[in-house]
């Protein structure tokens, strides 16, 4: 990966509109945003062979926009369910030219770059979660997320396949001698899906498969 000493500080105009409601049973939150960059810094792939790539930080105009939201409903005081999701798009404009060698004139010839999708933009997600208080001290949670295929990619960037992610957790909390203890067990990727993160700088490396975490939090 090559740096770029000619990069300038990013400047952008950002707009965001949100709507939220919090009630005894129903609550929801929706945000819509739009970011207009005059000189967005991004990591551009110049050449690629298999999983090896030559990258350089570059800069151009860019527009990012998206929406995110969630809605939760308490079926009972102990049982709460919810839906969530998000979507984002990124486009690059007025990119600086790349250069190729003109062997006849022994010089560098500029090559214009077209407008293109921004790299490493997360794909759309939809999911639901369930939280249950089984006793005063024992709570459980379940979260399922479906991540869609990312097909809107930058030049030389690989698409990433859709996948589903299921996480399940159980928490046990108590207070002893004025100190709060929380013992938790978290099972992640329960379905053991093969997951590739589109936002990673190493998108060809699979994320962790089925795994279980046991932990203890102490608050004093």
């Amino acid at each position: 990966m090559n740096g770029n000493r000619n990069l300038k500080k990013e400047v952008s105009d950002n707009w965001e509109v949100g709507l939220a409601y919090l009630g005894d049973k129903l609550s929801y939150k929706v945000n819509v945003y739009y970011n207009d960059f005059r000189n967005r810094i991004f990591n551009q792939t110049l050449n690629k062979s298999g999983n090896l790539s030559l990258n350089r930080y570059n800069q151009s105009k860019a527009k990012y926009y998206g929406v995110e939201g969630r809605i939760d409903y308490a079926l009972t005081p102990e049982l709460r369910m919810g839906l969530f999701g998000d979507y984002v798009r990124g486009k690059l404009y007025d990119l600086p030219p790349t250069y190729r060698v003109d062997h006849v004139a022994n010089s560098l010839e500029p090559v214009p770059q077209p407008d293109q999708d921004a790299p490493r933009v997360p794909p759309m997600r939809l999911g639901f979660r369930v939280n249950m208080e089984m006793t005063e001290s024992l709570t459980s949670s379940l979260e399922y997320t479906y991540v869609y295929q990312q097909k809107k990619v930058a030049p030389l960037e690989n698409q990433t396949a859709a996948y589903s992610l299921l996480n399940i957790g159980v928490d046990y909390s108590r207070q002893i001698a004025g100190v709060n203890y929380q013992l938790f067990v978290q099972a992640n990727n329960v379905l053991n899906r093969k997951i590739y993160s589109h936002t990673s700088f190493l998108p060809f490396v699979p994320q962790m498969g089925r795994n279980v975490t046991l932990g203890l939090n102490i608050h004093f």
Side-chain angles (χ1 to χ4, degrees):
M1 184 180 297
N2 295 326
N4 189 342
R5 64 181 180 180
N6 297 318
L7 295 179
K8 300 178 181 179
K9 184 183 296 186
E10 282 187 345
V11 178
S12 65
D13 296 317
N14 306 315
W15 294 270
E16 183 171 355
V17 177
L19 176 65
Y21 173 79
L22 180 60
D24 294 334
K25 289 190 173 183
L26 176 67
S27 63
Y28 58 81
K29 182 178 181 180
V30 179
N31 289 318
V32 178
Y33 57 90
Y34 179 86
N35 301 326
D36 187 2
F37 289 87
R38 301 180 199 172
N39 45 8
R40 169 70 170 169
I41 298 174
F42 62 96
N43 186 262
Q44 184 176 26
T45 301
L46 305 177
N47 202 352
K48 192 171 185 179
S49 177
N51 290 330
L52 298 177
S53 63
L54 175 64
N55 293 5
R56 188 189 191 198
Y57 282 101
N58 215 334
Q59 199 162 34
S60 75
K61 294 182 180 179
K63 299 182 188 299
Y64 287 77
Y65 54 90
V67 59
E68 56 187 7
R70 57 176 293 176
I71 181 170
D72 295 286
Y73 187 78
L75 297 176
T76 69
E78 295 79 22
L79 178 61
R80 195 170 189 88
M81 305 181 68
L83 301 173
F84 61 90
D86 54 67
Y87 173 79
V88 60
R89 285 283 282 120
K91 295 284 292 184
L92 305 177
Y93 300 88
D94 296 341
L95 283 85
T98 58
Y99 293 87
R100 64 187 173 196
V101 178
D102 185 339
H103 296 283
V104 176
N106 193 26
S107 62
L108 294 177
E109 180 182 354
V111 179
Q113 293 193 79
D115 298 342
Q116 56 193 247
D117 291 305
R120 299 178 55 245
V121 174
M124 185 171 72
R125 302 185 310 153
L126 288 175
F128 71 88
R129 62 171 61 90
V130 179
N131 296 93
M132 177 181 290
E133 295 182 13
M134 294 179 286
T135 69
E136 185 177 345
S137 300
L138 189 63
T139 62
S140 62
S141 63
L142 181 148
E143 182 174 287
Y144 174 85
T145 307
Y146 184 81
V147 181
Y148 287 78
Q149 179 185 11
Q150 181 55 285
K151 298 186 290 185
K152 301 182 185 302
V153 296
L156 301 180
E157 184 182 30
N158 291 336
Q159 298 183 13
T160 47
Y163 63 87
S164 53
L165 180 64
L166 177 63
N167 299 330
I168 300 174
V170 177
D171 295 345
Y172 180 77
S173 302
R174 285 200 62 184
Q175 186 180 78
I176 302 176
V179 178
N180 294 316
Y181 297 84
Q182 181 191 46
L183 179 66
F184 65 90
V185 179
Q186 181 72 34
N188 301 309
N189 195 5
V190 175
L191 302 177
N192 199 31
R193 303 300 193 201
K194 184 173 285 188
I195 295 173
Y196 294 90
S197 173
H198 194 79
T199 59
S200 172
F201 283 102
L202 301 174
F204 52 85
V205 177
Q207 303 298 297
M208 188 178 296
R210 183 185 298 119
N211 63 93
V212 178
T213 301
L214 174 65
L216 174 65
N217 293 324
I218 302 175
H219 303 277
F220 54 89

